[in-house]
């Protein structure tokens, strides 16, 4: 990567950051967490954390990227030397890149499930299926390492190819095509859900705020989700920020990202619960909400196979625009540090993630908690990896805020904030 790589337009960073932010977090994790934690109460804590903590850290992380114009690891190194700060701040770059690497490894496996469901939906094979059949089908998918590996490889392969094609030709062109398509699909699914589902029940579930519904775990989940959904503390925003136009406003851009990301989560949530309640199904199904409950809701609706298929395309597309933002920080490091070509860098990153992703694949079958004897504190490898990133994300976020708030020279911060 040459130091002068900048997005083609002033607004491209916004597009790219929204692409990174909107993903499985909005369409899969947000609805199931809200469903498990009493709906409205969860959303209240989530929205407050986004506004009070998420937006400031988003500004700080973008600032670090734009001020250094390098990948997170090399960028932090540069800022540390030009600001005479302590070398331990390098941790921000290293932890970010490591977290991106770990997240991509399991993100790709889960996005792979959506590939499977796209096929099932479009083929009409779930039409009229019973709850039992659909849930057995999901268990059968998870029990098959070869299917999971196939989808994981496909998803990761496409992500790596897009990033390998370059910042302009691959990432930018891909986003310019995918993002508008995703918004149109979301709108179509929403209108369908409003017509066919129970919109009133969904709205009242998501927007009735009763804080008693929220356990301590619910509070923690809501706060963790606000970091995950904004892609914070993982080098992704810093890496994209490195290409941000000097003229774009950090504050306005960060607020726009948070608003669009939250709107997408809410629209998806309202649509999903309208369909689920419309069919008399339960909200608190956990991670299976999107892969068991929702297909079941589609199974009995007119045009459900087609719309269900379209919905899962939305999931794959949104996951893809997030995954490419996880490839970039690590690939950028390889390019800058070892002066290797972009295609070689992404292949290296892709292979590493693919291998690590096998731990997640096997966590659902041959190493599932009952049979896995090497588990750490009762967790299977996937739980452990997810737990690690859940610690790294807020920690990275806090370190970023502290670094920009204190050791970084005031003139530099003021200059960045002036736009
Ligand atoms: N924000 C993405 C989502 O909601 C996930 C993600 C996390 C992407 C961190 C990049 C970096 O799905």
């Amino acid at each position: 990567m040459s130091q002068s790589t900048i997005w083609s337009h002033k607004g491209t960073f916004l597009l790219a950051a929204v692409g990174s932010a909107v993903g499985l977090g909005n369409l899969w994790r947000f609805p199931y967490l809200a469903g498990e934690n009493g709906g409205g109460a969860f959303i209240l804590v989530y929205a407050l954390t986004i506004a009070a903590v998420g937006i400031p850290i988003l500004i700080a992380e973008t600032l670090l990227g734009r001020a250094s114009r390098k990948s997170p690891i090399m960028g932090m190194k540069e800022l540390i030397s030009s600001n005479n700060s302590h070398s331990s701040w390098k941790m921000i770059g290293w932890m970010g890149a490591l977290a991106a690497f770990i997240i991509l490894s399991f993100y790709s496996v889960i996005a792979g499930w959506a590939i499977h469901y796209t096929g099932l939906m479009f083929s009409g094979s779930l039409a009229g299926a019973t709850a039992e059949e659909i849930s057995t089908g999901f268990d059968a998918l998870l029990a098959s390492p070869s299917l999971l590996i196939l989808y994981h490889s496909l998803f990761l392969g496409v992500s790596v190819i897009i990033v390998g094609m370059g910042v302009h030709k691959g990432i930018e062109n891909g986003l310019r095509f995918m993002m508008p398509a995703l918004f149109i699909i979301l709108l179509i699914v929403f209108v369908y859900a409003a017509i066919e589902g129970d919109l009133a029940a969904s709205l009242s579930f998501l927007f009735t705020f009763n804080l008693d519904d929220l356990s301590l775990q619910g509070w923690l989940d809501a706060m963790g989700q606000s970091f995950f959904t904004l892609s914070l503390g993982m080098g992704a925003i810093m890496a994209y920020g490195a290409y941000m136009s000097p003229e774009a406003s950090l504050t306005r851009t960060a607020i726009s990202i948070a608003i669009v990301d939250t709107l997408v989560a809410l629209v998806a949530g309202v649509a999903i619960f309208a369909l689920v309640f419309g069919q008399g199904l339960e909200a608190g199904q956990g991670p299976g909400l999107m892969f068991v409950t929702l297909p079941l809701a589609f199974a009995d609706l007119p045009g459900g196979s087609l719309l269900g298929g379209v919905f899962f395309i939305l999931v794959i597309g949104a996951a893809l625009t997030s995954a490419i933002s996880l490839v970039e920080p690590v690939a950028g490091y390889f390019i800058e540090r070892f002066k290797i070509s972009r295609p070689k860098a992404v292949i290296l990153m892709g292979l590493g993630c693919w291998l690590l992703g096998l731990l997640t694949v096997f966590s659902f079958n041959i190493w599932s908690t009952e049979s896995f004897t090497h588990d750490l504190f009762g967790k299977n490898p996937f739980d452990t990896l997810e737990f690690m990133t859940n610690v790294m994300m807020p920690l990275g976020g806090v370190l970023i805020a502290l670094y920009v708030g204190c050791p970084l020279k005031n003139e530099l911060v003021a200059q960045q904030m002036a736009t």
Side-chain angles (χ1 to χ4, degrees):
M1 182 185 65
S2 80
Q3 236 167 293
S4 56
T5 306
I6 292 192
W7 300 114
S8 312
H9 297 282
K10 191 175 152 188
T12 311
F13 170 77
L14 176 61
L15 181 78
V18 167
S20 170
V22 170
L24 293 175
N26 305 60
L27 304 173
W28 169 64
R29 209 162 179 250
F30 171 81
Y32 91 69
L33 287 176
E36 278 181 332
N37 292 294
F42 177 88
I43 290 184
L44 191 65
V45 176
Y46 163 85
L48 286 177
T49 317
I50 296 253
V53 189
I55 293 178
I57 295 180
L58 192 50
I59 296 174
E61 186 167 344
T62 317
L63 188 154
L64 288 180
R66 190 167 72 171
S68 67
R69 293 241 175 266
K70 288 208 164 84
S71 70
I73 295 175
M74 301 304 273
M76 281 312 297
K77 224 167 141 184
E78 167 133 340
L79 289 174
I80 285 166
S81 72
S82 58
N83 286 271
N84 298 323
S85 24
H86 195 273
S87 68
S88 55
W89 290 105
K90 268 193 208 150
M91 195 180 157
I92 293 178
W94 281 105
M95 204 167 64
L98 181 66
F101 184 73
I102 297 177
I103 291 191
L104 184 58
S105 78
F106 63 72
Y107 202 81
S108 163
V109 176
I110 296 171
W113 302 350
I115 303 181
H116 183 73
Y117 276 85
T118 309
L120 282 185
M121 283 287 171
F122 279 135
S123 69
S125 54
L126 294 184
T130 62
E132 174 132 7
E133 283 162 350
I134 292 190
S135 125
T136 319
F138 184 53
D139 292 343
L141 168 68
L142 296 192
S144 162
S146 51
L147 267 186
L148 294 186
I149 291 175
L150 171 73
Y151 296 130
H152 167 52
S153 317
L154 267 176
F155 182 84
L156 199 56
V158 175
S159 316
V160 157
I161 288 172
I162 295 176
V163 180
M165 283 165 67
V167 173
H168 298 298
K169 275 209 188 109
I171 303 180
E172 239 183 274
N173 283 347
L175 288 167
R176 215 165 279 139
F177 159 74
M178 281 191 281
M179 293 310 288
L182 296 181
F183 286 115
I184 294 172
I185 297 183
L186 181 64
L187 212 66
I188 296 175
V189 172
F190 180 80
V191 171
Y192 176 82
I195 297 172
E196 296 292 344
D198 188 343
L199 191 61
S202 172
L203 290 173
S204 105
F205 176 66
L206 289 176
F207 298 105
T208 308
F209 304 109
N210 181 5
L211 276 184
D212 293 340
D213 291 342
L214 212 55
S215 58
L216 176 64
Q217 186 59 42
W219 278 82
L220 292 176
D221 281 349
M223 295 198 282
Q225 171 64 9
S226 58
F227 271 84
F228 185 79
T229 193
L230 289 182
S231 305
L232 291 179
M234 271 158 295
I237 292 294
M238 211 190 292
Y240 276 180
Y243 311 138
M244 187 187 194
S245 152
E247 279 123 53
S249 153
L250 286 178
T251 315
R252 242 173 296 145
T253 308
I255 293 175
S256 310
I257 298 166
I259 291 178
V260 177
D261 183 69
T262 304
L263 278 179
V264 170
L266 290 176
V267 169
V270 169
I272 289 175
F273 288 117
L275 291 168
V276 167
F277 293 143
Q279 295 300 302
L281 303 169
E282 291 290 319
Q285 298 301 310
L289 179 71
M290 195 168 90
F291 297 102
V292 179
T293 318
L294 195 61
L296 184 59
F298 277 120
D300 274 338
L301 289 171
S305 297
L306 179 65
L307 259 293
V310 168
F311 173 82
F312 280 104
I313 296 258
L314 168 68
V315 176
I316 299 173
L320 204 55
T321 58
S322 298
I324 57 179
S325 77
L326 289 164
V327 177
E328 184 60 23
V330 183
Y333 169 70
F334 289 146
I335 296 170
E336 290 163 17
R337 174 71 181 77
F338 303 108
K339 310 269 180 279
I340 57 174
S341 67
R342 177 167 280 270
K344 276 194 196 133
V346 296
I347 289 175
L348 218 60
M349 164 72 175
L351 273 180
C353 265
W354 185 83
L355 281 174
L356 189 65
L358 296 182
L359 292 187
T360 296
V361 164
F362 297 140
S363 299
F364 293 106
N365 33 72
I366 50 181
W367 291 342
S368 72
T369 328
E370 306 92 71
S371 58
F372 185 57
T373 46
H374 314 289
D375 56 357
L376 217 56
F377 314 118
K379 291 174 187 291
N380 66 33
F382 165 60
D383 295 334
T384 309
L385 290 174
E386 206 203 2
F387 175 76
M388 282 167 65
T389 58
N390 280 341
V391 174
M392 288 158 105
M393 270 185 295
L395 187 62
V398 168
L399 289 177
I400 286 170
L402 287 176
Y403 186 69
V404 173
C406 208
L408 205 59
K409 288 194 183 122
N410 283 344
E411 309 94 76
L412 182 67
V413 176
Q415 178 203 344
Q416 288 290 333
M417 295 301 289
T419 47

